[in-house]
Amino acid sequence: MFMMLKGFIKDESGATAIEYGLIAALVSVAAISALSELGGSLSTIFGTVSSTLNGVAP
């Protein structure tokens, strides 16, 4: 029983998958926050362009 528990503790086969999962989660959170921030900026830019074009068009 002790040897089986010791082997279970030393087994690291699932550790890499968990690490990749955590990295993917971190990258997705960073991408979502960056795109959210960029989205507000783009909305302002397109609003300004739209207002300018509406002022020029007959």
Side-chain angles (χ1 to χ4, degrees):
M1 178 72 175
F2 180 71
M3 293 300 287
M4 191 168 81
L5 183 61
K6 188 176 178 181
F8 180 73
I9 291 173
K10 291 179 82 175
D11 186 20
E12 295 182 4
S13 60
T16 304
I18 292 171
E19 290 169 355
Y20 283 135
L22 290 173
I23 290 170
L26 180 63
V27 167
S28 64
V29 167
I32 289 170
S33 63
L35 290 175
S36 295
E37 199 60 38
L38 183 63
S41 229
L42 286 175
S43 177
T44 304
I45 290 170
F46 283 121
T48 304
V49 169
S50 176
S51 298
T52 304
L53 290 176
N54 284 337
V56 173

